[in-house]
Amino acid sequence: MSYICLIGNKNGILAASDTRETFDGYNHRDNRQKVFKCKKQNLVWACCGLTMLEGKDYLRLVEFIMRDTKTTLDQKLDYIYRSIKKATTEGFNRLGSGSAMDILIGHMGKRTMMIRMNISVGNIQTNTFFAPLALQGGSGKLHLPKMKLDEYNELTYEELKKYAYKRVENVIQKEIELCAKTPQMVQTIGGHVTIEGLKK
């Protein structure tokens, strides 16, 4: 499932993730980009979970939809859901629990909007929040407690960036330690940290 987070305050917004992508529950590669930005639209986003199914790359599909400058944000969310819901049902039938997709989206305007979409077995759960806030997705949320607002509300953009980097780095390390103690557990979080952000 991997790990993604979205952190924003009055100084900017950042999406961060690990780079591990798993295949068939066991095979993996550690060079997958899962965070993106479109400066022209003031958007950043991160994806994890179901990324490939029957040769179709759903991370690239989300990126294609998000970069379309002719659609509104609401239209983008609708297109994403309609494009991925069938795949999550098919993925569930084939793979079981590894068939959901988590998407975190940040839009920096007068107020920084932060959206979490979870698409699982054809169903969608969408929540909208406003910064200051920290959102997280994927299985890494089991490893670390939620961030308290007073920990980062007044941080500069560079401090936010360091905080987000350290957060993902810590989740990767905790996953490695947990898998070392539990040999039958598949390590789904790994690789290195990537970050994309927008500064106010």
Side-chain angles (χ1 to χ4, degrees):
M1 186 64 172
S2 203
Y3 178 77
I4 54 176
C5 68
L6 187 68
I7 299 174
N9 67 8
K10 62 186 179 183
N11 297 314
I13 188 166
L14 292 139
S17 79
D18 70 334
T19 57
R20 174 155 291 198
E21 182 178 46
T22 56
F23 297 91
D24 303 322
Y26 296 97
N27 301 315
H28 68 268
R29 63 181 181 185
D30 284 333
N31 61 348
R32 192 66 201 257
Q33 181 183 351
K34 293 179 279 188
V35 293
F36 307 88
K37 72 177 176 182
C38 179
K39 198 170 182 180
K40 186 175 182 180
Q41 299 182 84
N42 288 322
L43 290 171
V44 295
W45 66 95
C47 308
C48 70
L50 181 68
T51 54
M52 296 281 292
L53 184 66
E54 296 181 346
K56 192 163 187 178
D57 189 330
Y58 288 95
L59 280 182
R60 292 291 164 246
L61 177 61
V62 171
E63 183 180 10
F64 176 79
I65 294 169
M66 291 297 292
R67 290 195 187 281
D68 182 359
T69 58
K70 296 178 182 178
T71 57
T72 67
L73 184 56
D74 285 342
Q75 287 173 325
K76 293 179 197 300
L77 301 185
D78 183 56
Y79 293 159
I80 288 170
Y81 171 57
R82 288 194 284 116
S83 300
I84 293 174
K85 66 177 181 177
K86 185 178 178 182
T88 62
T89 302
E90 291 173 355
F92 179 79
N93 293 335
R94 289 182 52 195
L95 307 172
S97 61
S99 60
M101 191 170 197
D102 252 341
I103 306 169
L104 302 179
I105 301 167
H107 179 258
M108 197 168 68
K110 289 183 179 178
R111 293 188 68 190
T112 298
M113 181 188 296
M114 305 172 78
I115 299 166
R116 183 183 182 203
M117 294 178 68
N118 180 268
I119 305 169
S120 179
V121 198
N123 298 309
I124 184 171
Q125 182 177 359
T126 304
N127 301 100
T128 302
F129 311 91
F130 292 94
L133 193 69
L135 296 178
Q136 55 187 354
S139 57
K141 60 190 175 183
L142 303 175
H143 297 314
L144 288 178
K146 288 185 178 180
M147 189 180 299
K148 295 179 181 178
L149 284 178
D150 57 7
E151 292 180 5
Y152 67 93
N153 192 25
E154 298 299 322
L155 296 180
T156 66
Y157 180 81
E158 288 304 316
E159 288 171 333
L160 274 178
K161 191 173 183 180
K162 290 177 183 176
Y163 202 108
Y165 186 97
K166 194 67 178 175
R167 185 172 181 81
V168 179
E169 188 177 58
N170 286 344
V171 171
I172 292 171
Q173 187 57 44
K174 284 183 179 291
E175 176 85 350
I176 291 169
E177 292 170 2
L178 187 58
C179 288
K181 294 176 184 176
T182 316
Q184 69 272 21
M185 183 177 171
V186 178
Q187 185 182 332
T188 62
I189 303 170
H192 58 275
V193 183
T194 57
I195 294 181
E196 290 285 358
L198 296 167
K199 184 178 181 180
K200 278 195 175 179

